[in-house]
Amino acid sequence: MKLFSFVLLLLTDFHFCINPYSGNSGQESKDQACTIITGAERTDIYFPWLTGKKIAVVANQTSLINQTHLVDSLLGAGLDVVKVFSPEHGFRGMEDAGEPIQDQVDKTTGVPVISLYGDHYKPTKEDLAGIDIILFDIQDVGVRFYTYISTLTYVMEACAEQGIPIIVLDRPNPNGDYVDGPVLEKKYASIVGLYPVPIVYGMTIGEYAGMVNGEGWLKDGIKADLRVVPLKGYDHSCRYDLPVRPSPNLPNADAVCLYPSLALFEGTVVSVGRGTDYPFQVLGHPHFVIGSYAFKPESRPGARHPPYEGVYCLGGSLTGFAKEVCQKERRLHLSWLIYYYEFLKDLPSFFNDYFDKLAGNSSLREQIIAGKSEEDIKATWQQGLDAFKVVRKKYLLYPDFR
């Protein structure tokens, strides 16, 4: 998007009511709204694998078979679920981003819930004691720094070490129709990016699991005993409306679509609207005087004590522009980041230490500071993207029309 267009965006109030997930996803750039059967729904395939086994489930609020939670479905079928592992945001998906989560007992089922976002990310040998098989069923959004794929790979590694099979129940990727962004450099590996993949990698979580296993990226090159229950009716051009928010601050399809570009702002002084009704759909800062749109973050569940709590931020709302981005410009957008940097670069530190981890390198920050254009920056990604696409292609389970 041209800089002039963004100036017009900031000078115009695009704020309007967002449709929930049950409505229009705003992703009409994808060729069709497909009738998709998720891996979790294909119980005829994987229930027989679970009979007579002691089962652990890696799950959260997205782990649904129609409107019934996977754990309830398994227990209702008489299967022996002995433990649940939960990712960032917790089993019920209500905890803040980055907030450590404690172990608990699920009040509904009485099953112990072990946090993989507390004092450890990877299941320990003791955590897995007595487990015969693990089911992984979490809705991903196809972005490298969204930590559910890191949880998946830590679980795969632990299973490989302990000789426990893992079944991934595949789910569609709402950002699965494109690949973009810098490929992560090894020295910047962290929970928000473990392996050499771009920010947007264009794979379902089942495809991603196959790539991690097949490329030998687990510790010491070990391989998990991995099975993927595939989607039915899906290809990478499909539009998919998520039936439930995947995390507290991705409340609708516009936020999911904008997240790959706007999450980079989490490594800056700019607010992405945590603590408002429009997280990852607005941008602002108390000193951004040109903005005509204002919002005031407030503490709330899923965004306790957000940046600039109780302080008005000026900037722009992308709630209207999201439709154009999601329909016509399916790519990672840097213009917004470059633009805000130009207006706020005289602050003591526009970027924080988190930015390089999100970017997966130090180059992006250095290029923005140096005044490089979006086109010039993206040109430096191309070699890495081309190499990744060759690797990616080996593990695709569904047609890819790009």
Side-chain angles (χ1 to χ4, degrees):
M1 189 177 105
K2 301 298 184 184
L3 187 60
F4 177 72
S5 300
F6 188 55
V7 173
L8 289 179
L9 170 68
L10 290 173
L11 296 178
T12 307
D13 187 356
F14 278 87
H15 182 96
F16 69 96
C17 184
I18 301 291
N19 288 333
Y21 274 125
S22 58
N24 191 323
S25 73
Q27 299 190 44
E28 288 80 5
S29 67
K30 296 191 176 185
D31 294 339
Q32 54 185 327
C34 306
T35 301
I36 298 169
I37 299 174
T38 66
E41 294 173 277
R42 304 186 72 182
T43 56
D44 59 315
I45 295 177
Y46 67 93
F47 269 26
W49 300 342
L50 306 177
T51 302
K53 306 287 188 182
K54 292 192 178 299
I55 306 160
V57 180
V58 187
N60 65 3
Q61 79 287 350
T62 68
S63 309
L64 300 177
I65 300 177
N66 298 318
Q67 298 301 312
T68 303
H69 198 279
L70 173 66
V71 173
D72 294 328
S73 297
L74 295 170
L75 292 172
L79 296 169
D80 190 11
V81 179
V82 298
K83 192 170 291 185
V84 170
F85 293 101
S86 67
E88 184 178 13
H89 306 295
F91 183 47
R92 298 300 177 186
M94 293 302 295
E95 304 302 328
D96 288 6
E99 181 177 335
I101 299 167
Q102 302 302 312
D103 297 347
Q104 58 185 285
V105 174
D106 182 54
K107 294 179 182 179
T108 302
T109 62
V111 176
V113 178
I114 306 301
S115 172
L116 297 181
Y117 207 85
D119 58 11
H120 61 291
Y121 296 136
K122 177 179 170 180
T124 65
K125 182 178 180 180
E126 291 72 26
D127 289 336
L128 296 176
I131 301 299
D132 296 320
I133 197 164
I134 287 187
L135 275 179
F136 184 100
D137 182 34
I138 294 177
Q139 177 64 59
D140 183 41
V141 299
V143 182
R144 186 185 67 221
F145 37 66
Y146 204 63
T147 61
Y148 297 159
I149 57 170
S150 293
T151 296
L152 167 65
T153 53
Y154 281 127
V155 172
M156 287 173 59
E157 188 171 279
C159 286
E161 291 172 343
Q162 301 304 319
I164 299 172
I166 178 171
I167 302 170
V168 174
L169 306 180
D170 211 3
R171 290 185 176 270
N173 178 357
N175 289 308
D177 61 319
Y178 71 108
V179 175
D180 205 356
V183 172
L184 180 136
E185 298 174 8
K186 186 176 181 179
K187 67 181 290 186
Y188 294 98
S190 72
I191 187 65
V192 292
L194 291 173
Y195 301 123
V197 302
I199 289 176
V200 184
Y201 47 84
M203 306 176 82
T204 67
I205 201 160
E207 292 172 327
Y208 186 89
M211 179 174 65
V212 169
N213 216 34
E215 292 301 301
W217 288 345
L218 299 177
K219 183 180 178 181
D220 299 326
I222 57 177
K223 300 288 180 72
D225 181 358
L226 171 70
R227 305 179 207 177
V228 176
V229 180
L231 299 157
K232 189 173 182 180
Y234 176 79
D235 64 55
H236 283 276
S237 71
C238 285
R239 184 174 75 246
Y240 182 66
D241 295 342
L242 301 186
V244 61
R245 65 175 67 189
S247 55
N249 288 284
L250 293 182
N252 52 53
D254 283 351
V256 169
C257 174
L258 291 167
Y259 177 76
S261 300
L262 298 197
L264 287 168
F265 281 94
E266 300 259 73
T268 75
V269 297
V270 177
S271 168
V272 293
R274 289 185 185 272
T276 75
D277 291 336
Y278 302 98
F280 292 102
Q281 298 151 86
V282 298
L283 294 170
H285 185 274
H287 295 159
F288 193 77
V289 295
I290 192 174
S292 64
Y293 179 78
F295 59 88
K296 184 170 70 170
E298 301 289 356
S299 185
R300 59 177 64 192
R304 297 176 182 86
H305 307 300
Y308 310 117
E309 180 180 357
V311 177
Y312 277 102
C313 296
L314 296 176
S317 169
L318 304 179
T319 55
F321 186 73
K323 301 282 185 242
E324 181 178 342
V325 171
C326 296
Q327 292 173 18
K328 301 177 183 177
E329 299 186 70
R330 298 289 290 168
R331 60 183 176 85
L332 193 68
H333 291 259
L334 291 180
S335 292
W336 304 321
L337 183 59
I338 293 169
Y339 186 77
Y340 271 88
Y341 173 75
E342 286 302 313
F343 273 88
L344 297 172
K345 63 184 179 182
D346 291 334
L347 294 177
S349 180
F350 179 84
F351 295 104
N352 61 43
D353 293 340
Y354 192 41
F355 186 84
D356 289 356
K357 288 185 178 180
L358 292 171
N361 61 38
S362 62
S363 303
L364 179 56
R365 172 178 49 82
E366 293 162 356
Q367 289 166 330
I368 292 171
I369 291 172
K372 300 290 186 181
S373 69
E374 178 172 13
E375 292 77 12
D376 288 344
I377 293 172
K378 285 200 160 195
T380 67
W381 301 346
Q382 198 56 53
Q383 184 176 357
L385 284 173
D386 290 343
F388 171 75
K389 288 176 182 178
V390 173
V391 174
R392 170 185 177 271
K393 188 175 182 180
K394 294 189 292 183
Y395 301 101
L396 294 182
L397 301 174
Y398 316 101
D400 184 27
F401 298 108
R402 283 171 293 116

